Amino acid sequence: MRMNVRDIQIAYTDRGSGIPLVFLHGFPLNRDAWSKQVDAFRIAFRVIVPDLRGFGESESSRGAVSMSCFAEDLLTLLQHLKTGPIILVGHSMGGYIALAFAKAFPQMLRGLVLVGTKAAADSPEAAEARRGTAEKVRLEGVSVVVDPMAVKMLSSSNTDSAMASSVRALMTSSKSEGLVSALLGMAERQDAGAWLETITVPTLIITGADDMIIPPGESEVLAKAIPNATLKVIPEAGHLVAFEQADAFNEILREWFSLPSSVTLGPSFESSSNQQ
Ligand code: MLT
């Protein structure tokens, strides 16, 4: 499906009915990274998965795309889809966007799931390196980021070459202009650490024990700072934990959804099913 969202066309998946459960992919991926979650959760939820601006089948725009811009795209998409408040799951860059969304539009959240991500901004050196990478991608293409990242997406103990090829294919299909814009946007993103304590919705934090791109320690920082947060570490999983260990990941989500009655996911479950 496609929809005009602000100045571009956004491609997205919208399956099932019930509480809206939205997944945001990381860099340099697209909505297919969540295919195993769409299949698992469309039975019980309304699962919405966009290709972020510049990724997958969505159109690109020129210049840096800030995490706030991605978050505003999401809000506009959700308003068009008349979802009401959502449970938002963000992986890595999708997690940076989920945090920007949580800060800007807290009334639109009923639960937050942060996967293989972090609150910290880039150091000045890291931001400078990212801008250099953006320039290289502009000149040489997507292999500049795909080659060094592809080997780090899965656990180093993973010997499944078919899975490694699928992950590489997901990354290689990216368009260089989208990657450049997102790299520039990530380089300028704000540090979320100062306001994590203001997040009031139930929050689940998931990391792969073998994540080499955003180490599990970053998830521990998030879990300590966000009130009501639960941390889960999945063994034998790297950065793309939801794809690599989909069964374990989906099971953790399922368990978390059946929260004790003392903890509700924002507005009550009953009222949510009327918001479609
Ligand atoms: C991602 O997986 O989205 C990126 O590795 C995040 C980043 O580069 O900071």
Side-chain angles (χ1 to χ4, degrees):
M1 293 185 202
R2 278 156 212 271
M3 186 182 289
N4 284 329
V5 170
R6 298 172 349 122
D7 53 333
I8 55 153
Q9 241 194 22
I10 288 279
Y12 64 98
T13 298
D14 183 4
R15 299 270 159 74
S17 60
I19 291 178
L21 176 59
V22 179
F23 291 91
L24 300 182
H25 64 78
F27 174 97
L29 297 163
N30 59 63
R31 69 193 199 275
D32 288 346
W34 295 111
S35 55
K36 300 174 187 182
Q37 283 67 46
V38 175
D39 288 346
F41 291 103
R42 59 192 282 192
I43 301 150
F45 291 85
R46 180 179 183 187
V47 180
I48 297 169
V49 195
D51 277 338
L52 296 166
R53 178 182 288 254
F55 292 84
E57 298 176 308
S58 290
E59 288 178 341
S60 310
S61 50
R62 292 177 70 83
V65 177
S66 65
M67 302 304 106
S68 304
C69 173
F70 285 122
E72 282 167 29
D73 285 348
L74 176 60
L75 178 72
T76 306
L77 178 69
L78 298 175
Q79 285 170 338
H80 283 306
L81 296 175
K82 300 190 181 354
T83 62
I86 60 167
I87 302 172
L88 183 57
V89 186
H91 170 244
S92 200
M93 181 185 78
Y96 308 157
I97 299 165
L99 286 169
F101 186 92
K103 184 172 186 216
F105 314 115
Q107 74 286 359
M108 281 297 290
L109 268 195
R110 61 176 64 234
L112 183 61
V113 184
L114 299 170
V115 185
T117 193
K118 62 183 171 188
D122 283 2
S123 65
E125 298 74 29
E128 203 43 46
R130 241 197 243 275
R131 290 189 197 101
T133 304
E135 189 51 29
K136 265 191 106 181
V137 172
R138 198 193 313 274
L139 297 172
E140 297 170 29
V142 300
S143 61
V144 168
V145 290
V146 172
D147 289 345
M149 272 187 90
V151 291
K152 294 188 191 162
M153 291 301 258
L154 302 176
S155 167
S156 57
S157 66
N158 189 324
T159 55
D160 184 340
S161 54
M163 183 182 282
S165 302
S166 309
V167 171
R168 179 173 263 278
L170 272 178
M171 301 170 82
T172 311
S173 66
S174 302
K175 302 177 285 274
S176 45
E177 63 266 31
L179 301 196
V180 169
S181 295
L183 283 163
L184 296 175
M186 284 195 280
E188 67 181 37
R189 76 185 188 283
Q190 312 271 306
D191 192 304
W195 59 271
L196 292 176
E197 65 181 15
T198 66
I199 295 176
T200 54
V201 289
T203 302
L204 173 64
I205 295 158
I206 304 179
T207 179
D210 305 335
D211 191 334
M212 291 175 265
I213 294 180
I214 300 189
E218 298 286 357
S219 288
E220 287 165 23
V221 172
L222 287 168
K224 280 200 189 106
I226 301 177
N228 282 323
T230 305
L231 172 64
K232 297 284 181 186
V233 182
I234 301 186
E236 294 177 28
H239 189 54
L240 204 54
V241 50
F243 190 86
E244 184 173 16
Q245 294 292 353
D247 289 345
F249 181 91
N250 292 348
E251 195 47 42
I252 287 171
L253 267 191
R254 262 188 220 103
E255 266 176 32
W256 185 70
F257 289 140
S258 12
L259 290 166
S261 53
S262 56
V263 186
T264 54
L265 284 165
S268 77
F269 268 47
E270 297 77 55
S271 63
S272 73
S273 49
N274 299 328
Q275 287 167 356
Q276 303 317 305

